[in-house]
Amino acid sequence: MTGASPRGTPGALGAALHGRFLHGLAVAPRRTAVRGPGWSLSYEALHERALTWAGALLRAAGHRPAAVAVLAAKGPHAYAGVLAALYAGAAVVPLSTGFPAARTRHMLEAAGVSAVIADAAGRAVLAGVPGPAPGVPVLAPDEVRAGSVPVDAAHALGEPLPAAAGDTAYVLFTSGSTGRPKGVRISHGSTAHYFHVLDARYDFGPQDVFSQIFDLNFDCAMFDLFCAWGAGATVQQVPAAAFRDVPAFAAEAGLTVWFSTPSTVSLVRRTAGLGAGSLSGLRWSIFAGEALKCADAADWQRAAPTSTVENLYGPTELTITICGYEWSPETTPGLAVHGIVPIGAVHKGHDHLLIDEDCEPVSGEGELVVTGPQMTSGYLDPADHRGRFVTHDGRTWYRTGDRVREVADGVLAYVDRLDAQVQVQGWRVEPAEIDQALCACAGVEEAVTVAVPAAGGDLELVAFYTGSPTPAAQLARGLRDVLPERLVPRRYAHLAAFPLNANRKIDRGALRARAAAPPGPARAAAVPARTAPPAPRGR
């Protein structure tokens, strides 16, 4: 580090997540911390901005805020907002400007948000929130307006507030089977353990440039930000337009660390971006959020021959990822189950079990349950705990809902889901939430949503319903009022009645088979292509 020491960089903040940024600040104060199309912020500039905004938040609240929402499109306001919320000693609640207003309202209330940092897009969402105003102060960095939190550098914090290991670092929302999103609390202690594991696993340094593809309300974005910032590296926002020619973008940006969902491999392949050596600048190629196919890993390795390809696995409740596996063209195919790259070994410091349907430990294959420092401190609503945790040997374990198989000593492979939950472009989707929203549409009596493979190997949501036949576009419009775009099915099929299995339950297997059938008179009607989701961004 050269020059004067930046303001507010104590030697350590204990377990605080934002202590990782302070480490990067100390290592590389004048290097770029984060950049995107047409903008860039150095570590020093981002630090000063976060201190100023944190001071404004504390003055507006009159006390240390419990939770601060960041409602902004990916850009300088969003990244600075995440850091400012942490500096103010609050739990950061990243929200998407693409979500319906009613859903946003629910998340603001469920998280007990004390203040909101919002750009123009975020303020437009807040303006459309139904019912009474949320009643929380709004910090609008790009606009001075009546009622907004005043931002004055004279009141900036001298240094970030500390955080205890048990304090909540962030709250993220996942799709919920009850028809509403579930808020997951992750503590500073959990993130401290997680990044300690990653620091030992990877050799990231100030010279690295990380891709930043995931939306900030997807926990994998925390990997991007705090792996990079903990090393003094640069975070490079990847705009949707970059997927037209990923090799050219990667070369121009100097990307050395790639992190995305496996769906991106198919997308890059379709744009002829996986030619031999086309991604030769990458040192690390990391995938998470969905099952990684061996064929996709092999194609990506050929395109990025000098990079290490890794498959990471983990639900939000276990702090971003809880397992990791390094791809090997020689040994991995022999360990793969159904052509899927193994998920690897559970992180050190944790215990895991495989259990049967009676929650009894089994060997070889079963549902994966994990306990340890990365496990969530709980959902915002205690009612959501039901069915997600199990007690064994006097300890609480998180049930992943994933069936896994031990394929080598300590090496696990994903087999399938035990419930109806699916991963769509990295988003964890509870079809029951879609079903409930569909049943609220005019004319719909019952609804069942299934996921089937689509072109390129991705999963596609298909909705079946009973009641009055309704145009697919009309149903999709109704769902967009209450669901994020990625939860809106692309195809719809009206049935006089649902098929039943021998137990007189809805035969989801039969519905999946029908959804996967080739085009024909019985195929579900599709919504016009313009409604398809954009390039994969996150959950």
Side-chain angles (χ1 to χ4, degrees):
M1 178 175 169
T2 60
S5 177
R7 179 180 62 175
T9 56
L13 268 181
L17 177 57
H18 45 289
R20 294 190 63 82
F21 182 88
L22 297 183
H23 182 264
L25 174 66
V27 169
R30 294 177 179 81
R31 291 183 69 89
T32 299
V34 59
R35 68 191 183 204
W39 63 273
S40 176
L41 288 171
S42 70
Y43 276 86
E44 286 181 329
L46 183 54
H47 178 62
E48 293 296 324
R49 183 173 296 188
L51 286 173
T52 299
W53 292 5
L57 291 170
L58 287 167
R59 282 177 61 85
H63 53 80
R64 179 171 175 156
V68 171
V70 177
L71 185 57
K74 280 205 297 187
H77 295 332
Y79 298 107
V82 168
L83 201 57
L86 292 171
Y87 276 16
V92 61
V93 186
L95 300 177
S96 173
T97 57
F99 283 2
R103 190 180 186 88
T104 299
R105 169 65 179 274
H106 166 78
M107 292 187 286
L108 290 170
E109 293 180 342
V113 165
S114 306
V116 179
I117 298 174
D119 64 0
R123 294 193 298 276
V125 173
L126 291 175
V129 168
V136 296
V138 177
L139 192 156
D142 57 347
E143 181 182 58
V144 178
R145 56 188 294 173
S148 63
V149 174
V151 177
D152 187 345
H155 301 301
L157 294 185
E159 62 183 29
L161 295 186
D167 292 344
T168 300
Y170 60 80
V171 174
L172 295 176
F173 287 85
T174 68
S175 177
S177 60
T178 60
R180 54 171 176 73
K182 298 188 298 185
V184 182
R185 297 193 303 260
I186 298 297
S187 72
H188 287 273
S190 291
T191 60
H193 183 94
Y194 178 68
F195 287 108
H196 176 74
V197 170
L198 298 191
D199 287 342
R201 187 179 185 91
Y202 302 113
D203 62 348
F204 302 142
Q207 77 285 354
D208 281 312
V209 179
F210 283 65
S211 67
Q212 208 288 288
I213 300 169
F214 297 101
D215 285 349
L216 297 185
N217 61 311
F218 188 177
D219 58 351
C220 285
M222 298 299 172
F223 177 106
D224 296 336
L225 300 186
F226 292 99
C227 271
W229 289 344
T234 296
V235 174
Q236 171 68 59
Q237 180 192 344
V238 181
F243 287 94
R244 298 170 187 161
D245 191 343
V246 167
F249 179 84
E252 182 178 357
L255 293 183
T256 60
V257 180
W258 178 272
F259 188 35
S260 73
T261 61
S263 295
T264 305
V265 181
S266 298
L267 180 62
V268 178
R269 183 187 292 116
R270 291 197 295 270
T271 56
L274 289 184
S278 61
L279 296 168
S280 58
L282 297 179
R283 299 196 313 115
W284 291 95
S285 299
I286 304 169
F287 298 92
E290 299 168 309
L292 175 63
K293 300 175 184 175
C294 288
D296 286 346
D299 283 355
W300 191 275
Q301 183 76 87
R302 282 191 290 269
T306 59
S307 80
T308 300
V309 177
E310 290 223 326
N311 183 36
L312 306 186
Y313 160 89
T316 299
E317 290 85 348
L318 292 175
T319 309
I320 310 176
T321 58
I322 194 65
C323 296
Y325 179 86
E326 182 179 323
W327 158 263
S328 165
E330 291 78 28
T331 61
T332 301
L335 298 176
V337 175
H338 307 316
I340 301 300
V341 177
I343 59 176
V346 172
H347 288 172
K348 291 181 179 179
H350 295 79
D351 287 328
H352 74 279
L353 293 171
L354 305 184
I355 62 173
D356 61 19
E357 59 185 14
D358 296 320
C359 295
E360 293 297 325
V362 294
S363 60
E365 182 173 314
E367 180 185 359
L368 176 64
V369 299
V370 179
T371 191
Q374 287 180 216
M375 188 174 71
T376 179
S377 54
Y379 296 109
L380 295 177
D381 185 348
D384 290 327
H385 287 67
R386 184 167 49 189
R388 300 316 311 164
F389 298 90
V390 62
T391 300
H392 178 74
D393 287 343
R395 292 184 290 172
T396 300
W397 305 65
Y398 176 73
R399 300 184 61 174
T400 65
D402 291 323
R403 183 187 303 277
V404 303
R405 181 182 303 166
E406 186 168 5
V407 293
D409 186 21
V411 177
L412 303 175
Y414 172 84
V415 178
D416 60 23
R417 282 294 298 179
L418 294 170
D419 55 22
Q421 188 183 96
V422 295
Q423 293 274 356
V424 178
Q425 293 186 350
W427 284 69
R428 195 171 79 185
V429 177
E430 292 276 8
E433 180 176 4
I434 305 171
D435 299 344
Q436 291 200 26
L438 262 174
C439 288
C441 294
V444 175
E445 293 179 358
E446 293 184 279
V448 174
T449 305
V450 298
V452 295
D458 300 337
L459 286 180
E460 178 182 46
L461 294 171
V462 181
F464 294 87
Y465 69 98
T466 62
S468 303
T470 307
Q474 181 177 325
L475 293 173
R477 282 196 300 272
L479 292 183
R480 286 194 193 91
D481 290 337
V482 293
L483 297 176
E485 182 67 30
R486 283 186 182 82
L487 269 65
V488 177
R490 285 279 294 115
R491 291 192 284 132
Y492 300 80
H494 174 263
L495 301 176
F498 287 121
L500 303 178
N501 59 24
N503 295 323
R504 307 302 295 170
K505 296 182 178 180
I506 293 176
D507 191 338
R508 292 177 180 271
L511 293 177
R512 280 191 288 269
R514 175 166 176 165
R523 188 174 173 86
V527 178
R530 64 181 178 80
T531 65
R537 296 182 299 166
R539 169 166 53 191

